[in-house]
Amino acid sequence: MASTDPEGIDAVRMTWNVWPRTKVEASKCVIPLAASITPIRPHPDIPTLPYAPLRCKTCSAVLNPFSRVDFTAKIWICPFCYQRNHFPPHYAMISETNLPGELYPQYTTVQYTLQPIPDPNNPSSVPHLPPVFMFVLDTCMIEEELGFVKSALKQAIGLLPEHALVGFVSFGTQTQVHELGFSDMSKVYVFRGSKEIPKEQVLEQLGLGGAGRRPTTTGYPKGLQNGYTTTGVNRFLLPASDCEFTLNSLLDELQTDQWPVQAGQRASRCTGVALSVAAGLLGACLPGTGARIIALVGGPCTEGPGTIVSKELSEPVRSHKDLDKDAAPYFKKAVKFYDSLAKQLVSQGHVLDLFASALDQVGVAEMKVAVERTGGLAVLAESFGHSVFKDSFKRVFEDGEQSLGLCFNGTLEINCSKDIKIQGVIGPCTSLEKKGPNVADTVIGEGNTTAWKMCGLDKSTCLTVLFDLSSTERSNVPGAANPQLYLQFLTSYQDPEGKTVLRVTTVTRQWVDSAVSTEELVQGFDQETAAVVMARITSLKMEIEEGFDATRWLDRNLIRLCSKFGDYRKDDPSSFTLNPCFSLFPQFMFNLRRSQFVQVFNNSPDETAYFRMLLNRENITNAAVMIQPSLISYSFNSLPQPALLDVASISADRILLLDSYFSIVVFHGMTIAQWRNMGYQNQPEHQAFGQLLQAPQEDAQMIIRERFPVPRLVVCDQHGSQARFLLVKLNPSATYNNASDMAAGSDVIFTDDVSLQVFFEHLQRLAVQS
């Protein structure tokens, strides 16, 4: 962890940075071969080339610094399939001293800007399709909540780029599509909320049926007004600058859902119909348009497709126990509905973002599939007035430093050396079912393919690719085999301005014969990445495998890893030592076993689905904080410094700052809290105390500014009720069993959980067993 940026220019991190040669050796490594890539992470050193890339004629890999080049014959050899390719005429000037950008050895990642074909009649106008934002607003909520969400929406519409197109759908018992183009009075199309409506019927009812919808001419469509057919769609989708006033007055008039709700019943809410109507309407846009459906949901769907609970309040929303016992009657049907919605959105190339704010569950667990497969954003908060919602929602539309860099219509392709097979990808994407020789037989996550669709992606979107090795032994003839393996990631996408960009990252790693020596393997192990990959695989297995025991699976793998790579004498636990390259890994596993990803008790299925979505889409550093939070201690006699994630770090005269990704806790020790309550910080002679109180608050704000979704800030005192946010994450080295030998002012945790010390002793004992 010495380097500040472990991902470097390529934004790729691997569990193993040297690879074993054979499938058998790879399986002995316990931790799978995996790479985590943040496909469009910005980096100042990435060059942008204004021309199209050269591709290999056999495997279509792109020319890169690892290609062998014969400058006299003007030939390059592809490192993936060894095909000899001729350079085209416009490369005639190249030589060892005159290289094109993509052959510079330091540019392992380059970007190509791909120009769309201009209109022959009007060459100056290059068609940039404006992004579309379709807001879908739930109106079944109390006046106060609706007020919060309206002001957030008004602020968002003000922040949108002027040319962005905006549409608006509101829903309660029924779904209303607002015709923004009709500004004389508000005109609304109403859809019944009780039954599923096919896409064709949506378009028919909105007057966008068959003929008037899409230009049939090939090439550049005629009669375009800002990239759209002049008929039809622009009645519902208008540039933000044109409809800001209309929308603001429409929001002012909008009331909570007027349908009567009987006592003891839930409001009738047709979330599923509203989302499929919005998706159907966006289907009438020109193909290739980047569009997002931004759903603002304030409660569970109780009407029509996607229903998650009945209207009777006496029936609670499904819990984890119900799902385990198959006692959630609506769950499978709702998931199936959102699965088909996901397929429709992916085929259109559109994104579903979910902002859910309610005290009870709203159905994130069911909608997860549609959000994740389209690369959408998800934010879960308790109220639309809470900073977690308000600040996150604002960040989506902000420009400049704070911008998320939302991009559209991405595809990721992977090329790899011939012995490497791809099992699949975990993260926000959908398999494009593109078969090839590099596809593995076993599938993990989105598999059976070498190409994936990412309808929505941003600067921090991260995917985990799992690899396998082909089982043939004959490729391991010594001397003949190439000592290096190559992986190439090609990501094409539309940037926020509407330009098409292709980013090519080519990385190489070394093969080692691990049967001879494991020393090189050990040095190439990345413990942080390995911990995150194990967490992602565990979460996936918990979702798809019946009766999967996550804790046992993690423990067994950890024991196998320690027996393989630890140094010890058989059956002598006290002799056990771990190489520093592995020494943090057991602690990561200890915290993962206790984390909300594995221990779902006390979390609702919605929260669990939400946490897992974020675990799968954030980069390694962020995901590692979700598994193992960071703790910083502030005191009078030293600078702020990292503290052990242990109850022993609590002391009466310290302030602790815990970052567990989803929440940030500022925890004041007992003495500090008493002094603060007496107001010492306001007295001139106690200036230093005032600064001590201020420091963790400032650091917390710095973390909050950088992060999306915005974390929840908890400020609490030792022995206060909110202190539980800190205590639950700490290693219980002091519990009520051994409270006698404790320092004054520290704390105990009332738990029967094992402490890290005990966990480690058991691990040593089991790892050295012969």
Side-chain angles (χ1 to χ4, degrees):
M1 296 310 297
S3 72
T4 47
D5 180 11
E7 302 187 356
I9 186 172
D10 297 326
V12 172
R13 286 182 70 175
M14 299 195 193
T15 46
W16 300 95
N17 286 303
V18 286
W19 285 29
R21 272 267 183 218
T22 64
K23 196 178 172 106
V24 175
E25 287 300 322
S27 71
K28 286 184 191 160
C29 289
V30 187
I31 308 292
L33 297 170
S36 136
I37 174 159
T38 313
I40 63 169
R41 175 172 174 266
H43 192 284
D45 300 340
I46 296 177
T48 300
L49 308 174
Y51 46 84
L54 281 192
R55 287 178 177 259
C56 167
K57 61 186 181 200
T58 311
C59 67
S60 72
V62 169
L63 177 66
N64 60 74
F66 306 110
S67 312
R68 304 232 318 269
V69 178
D70 180 341
F71 290 106
T72 42
K74 301 281 183 282
I75 283 173
W76 61 280
I77 299 172
C78 169
F80 295 96
C81 66
Y82 307 121
Q83 168 71 44
R84 299 163 71 81
N85 296 281
H86 289 277
F87 281 104
H90 59 276
Y91 276 76
M93 299 301 292
I94 65 168
S95 68
E96 276 163 40
T97 53
N98 182 21
L99 288 174
E102 64 267 39
L103 286 177
Y104 275 76
Q106 71 270 35
Y107 292 152
T108 45
T109 295
V110 294
Q111 287 194 158
Y112 298 90
T113 43
L114 310 174
Q115 295 303 332
I117 300 111
D119 176 10
N121 313 331
N122 181 5
S124 64
S125 81
V126 176
H128 277 323
L129 295 175
V132 181
F133 294 89
M134 170 72 76
F135 295 98
V136 179
L137 174 63
D138 178 358
T139 57
C140 293
M141 43 178 119
I142 56 171
E143 220 36 87
E144 185 188 22
E145 284 288 304
L146 194 63
F148 288 139
V149 81
K150 279 179 183 179
S151 65
L153 267 172
K154 287 179 179 175
Q155 184 184 29
I157 292 156
L159 288 169
L160 283 174
E162 299 217 324
H163 67 294
L165 299 181
V166 181
F168 185 64
V169 173
S170 59
F171 69 95
T173 308
Q174 295 164 332
T175 295
Q176 293 91 19
V177 180
H178 298 264
E179 187 174 319
L180 301 176
F182 196 81
S183 51
D184 310 347
M185 51 185 260
S186 55
K187 183 171 169 189
V188 176
Y189 290 76
V190 179
F191 292 84
R192 266 179 57 192
S194 51
K195 63 180 206 307
E196 207 165 325
I197 306 171
K199 180 175 161 179
E200 291 67 42
Q201 196 184 329
V202 172
L203 296 174
E204 206 59 53
Q205 224 169 308
L206 294 173
L208 301 172
R213 195 163 57 116
R214 261 187 210 164
T216 45
T217 52
T218 49
Y220 195 72
K222 293 186 176 57
L224 278 197
Q225 175 195 346
N226 53 27
Y228 283 80
T229 47
T230 34
T231 56
V233 179
N234 59 0
R235 296 182 3 239
F236 300 99
L237 300 175
L238 268 76
S241 50
D242 297 358
C243 68
E244 188 169 357
F245 177 74
T246 319
L247 250 172
N248 276 337
S249 41
L250 192 156
L251 284 170
D252 288 335
E253 291 167 17
L254 196 68
Q255 294 176 307
T256 55
D257 192 49
Q258 296 300 301
W259 285 77
V261 179
Q262 289 163 11
Q265 295 227 328
R266 291 187 173 88
S268 150
R269 187 186 276 106
C270 63
T271 319
V273 167
L275 293 175
S276 55
V277 166
L281 173 53
L282 288 178
C285 295
L286 274 182
T289 308
R292 309 187 82 91
I293 296 177
I294 297 171
L296 299 135
V297 184
C301 177
T302 55
E303 178 83 62
T307 296
I308 67 156
V309 67
S310 76
K311 291 195 183 65
E312 298 299 326
L313 273 170
S314 54
E315 183 193 316
V317 184
R318 77 254 159 321
S319 65
H320 276 296
K321 235 190 194 110
D322 297 333
L323 292 175
D324 290 342
K325 293 198 309 232
D326 227 357
Y330 300 95
F331 184 74
K332 288 199 170 111
K333 202 173 161 198
V335 171
K336 196 174 155 199
F337 165 75
Y338 284 113
D339 190 71
S340 67
L341 183 70
K343 289 196 176 81
Q344 179 189 342
L345 286 169
V346 168
S347 70
Q348 295 174 186
H350 299 157
V351 187
L352 172 63
D353 296 325
L354 176 61
F355 290 86
S357 298
L359 289 167
D360 199 7
Q361 303 183 66
V362 303
V364 180
E366 285 83 354
M367 294 157 93
K368 174 178 187 272
V369 52
V371 177
E372 200 159 42
R373 295 250 180 94
T374 61
L377 306 169
V379 175
L380 189 59
E382 287 173 12
S383 146
F384 285 114
H386 200 291
S387 64
V388 170
F389 165 74
K390 287 198 305 200
D391 298 347
S392 304
F393 193 65
K394 189 170 147 213
R395 281 282 302 277
V396 175
F397 305 99
E398 269 178 341
D399 253 1
E401 275 295 284
Q402 290 300 303
S403 122
L404 299 177
L406 297 178
C407 297
F408 296 98
N409 266 320
T411 50
L412 169 73
E413 288 176 71
I414 301 179
N415 296 312
C416 37
S417 298
K418 75 170 174 29
D419 286 335
I420 302 171
K421 306 278 183 228
I422 301 168
Q423 291 180 322
V425 169
I426 298 178
C429 64
T430 300
S431 161
L432 285 174
E433 302 289 334
K434 183 182 170 192
K435 304 283 190 291
N438 288 105
V439 175
D441 305 332
T442 43
V443 173
I444 301 177
E446 291 289 307
N448 271 328
T449 182
T450 56
W452 294 262
K453 178 83 180 163
M454 304 159 76
C455 301
L457 66 168
D458 58 65
K459 295 196 288 210
S460 65
T461 304
C462 168
L463 300 174
T464 306
V465 190
L466 294 140
F467 298 101
D468 197 5
L469 299 179
S470 59
S471 42
T472 51
E473 295 288 326
R474 61 180 168 69
S475 60
N476 306 330
V477 189
N482 188 341
Q484 296 294 105
L485 62 101
Y486 300 97
L487 301 170
Q488 188 176 65
F489 303 92
L490 301 110
T491 314
S492 70
Y493 61 97
Q494 276 174 23
D495 69 3
E497 280 79 62
K499 292 202 296 288
T500 305
V501 181
L502 172 70
R503 174 142 153 184
V504 180
T505 295
T506 316
V507 295
T508 182
R509 295 288 187 270
Q510 197 183 341
W511 291 115
V512 294
D513 190 350
S514 55
V516 178
S517 127
T518 58
E519 187 47 39
E520 288 170 300
L521 261 185
V522 169
Q523 294 304 322
F525 183 65
D526 180 339
Q527 359 192 17
E528 211 177 21
T529 307
V532 172
V533 167
M534 290 304 272
R536 288 174 179 167
I537 294 173
T538 307
S539 287
L540 183 72
K541 283 176 173 288
M542 286 177 78
E543 276 183 6
I544 59 177
E545 292 182 20
E546 290 278 311
F548 174 71
D549 186 341
T551 310
R552 282 199 58 182
W553 185 78
L554 287 169
D555 287 351
R556 288 218 304 272
N557 280 305
L558 180 58
I559 293 164
R560 279 178 57 208
L561 188 78
C562 291
S563 334
K564 162 107 175 141
F565 294 105
D567 295 315
Y568 54 87
R569 291 189 300 278
K570 282 267 163 66
D571 296 322
D572 177 5
S574 61
S575 67
F576 181 86
T577 57
L578 259 182
N579 185 300
C581 297
F582 287 90
S583 56
L584 297 173
F585 190 74
Q587 190 181 335
F588 270 121
M589 290 300 104
F590 171 75
N591 284 302
L592 173 60
R593 289 165 86 245
R594 305 180 68 219
S595 72
Q596 68 271 45
F597 302 112
V598 174
Q599 303 298 333
V600 296
F601 175 76
N602 220 355
N603 282 327
S604 66
D606 271 17
E607 288 170 311
T608 302
Y610 174 62
F611 294 145
R612 286 180 178 160
M613 267 176 358
L614 284 169
L615 172 72
N616 288 346
R617 63 165 294 146
E618 282 300 325
N619 66 27
I620 297 293
T621 315
N622 282 348
V625 173
M626 298 179 196
I627 299 167
Q628 182 169 301
S630 71
L631 192 64
I632 298 172
S633 143
Y634 299 77
S635 61
F636 276 121
N637 43 20
S638 69
L639 288 165
Q641 59 192 42
L644 283 174
L645 196 62
D646 191 304
V647 62
S649 296
I650 294 179
S651 136
D653 57 355
R654 270 188 188 174
I655 304 177
L656 294 176
L657 174 65
L658 175 90
D659 176 5
S660 67
Y661 198 82
F662 302 102
S663 53
I664 299 204
V665 183
V666 178
F667 174 96
H668 302 95
M670 221 158 33
T671 316
I672 300 255
Q674 283 164 351
W675 289 348
R676 181 205 57 211
N677 295 345
M678 291 170 177
Y680 284 173
Q681 68 278 17
N682 305 327
Q683 298 170 5
E685 67 271 26
H686 292 302
Q687 233 178 336
F689 179 56
Q691 286 162 349
L692 178 68
L693 282 179
Q694 206 42 48
Q697 296 281 359
E698 282 167 5
D699 291 351
Q701 286 308 324
M702 221 166 73
I703 297 171
I704 288 171
R705 273 202 302 278
E706 290 296 303
R707 187 165 294 168
F708 182 91
V710 170
R712 166 187 190 151
L713 177 64
V714 177
V715 180
C716 59
D717 299 340
Q718 191 174 356
H719 308 309
S721 72
Q722 300 264 297
R724 62 181 193 277
F725 282 97
L726 172 71
L727 297 178
V728 69
K729 296 292 184 188
L730 298 181
N731 167 34
S733 60
T735 65
Y736 59 90
N737 297 323
N738 56 358
S740 49
D741 48 357
M742 273 173 44
S746 66
D747 222 323
V748 291
I749 294 180
F750 292 98
T751 180
D752 289 324
D753 283 358
V754 295
S755 67
L756 183 60
Q757 188 64 33
V758 175
F759 178 75
F760 227 86
E761 284 163 8
H762 281 250
L763 175 62
Q764 285 172 329
R765 208 179 63 234
L766 292 163
V768 301
Q769 274 181 2
S770 46

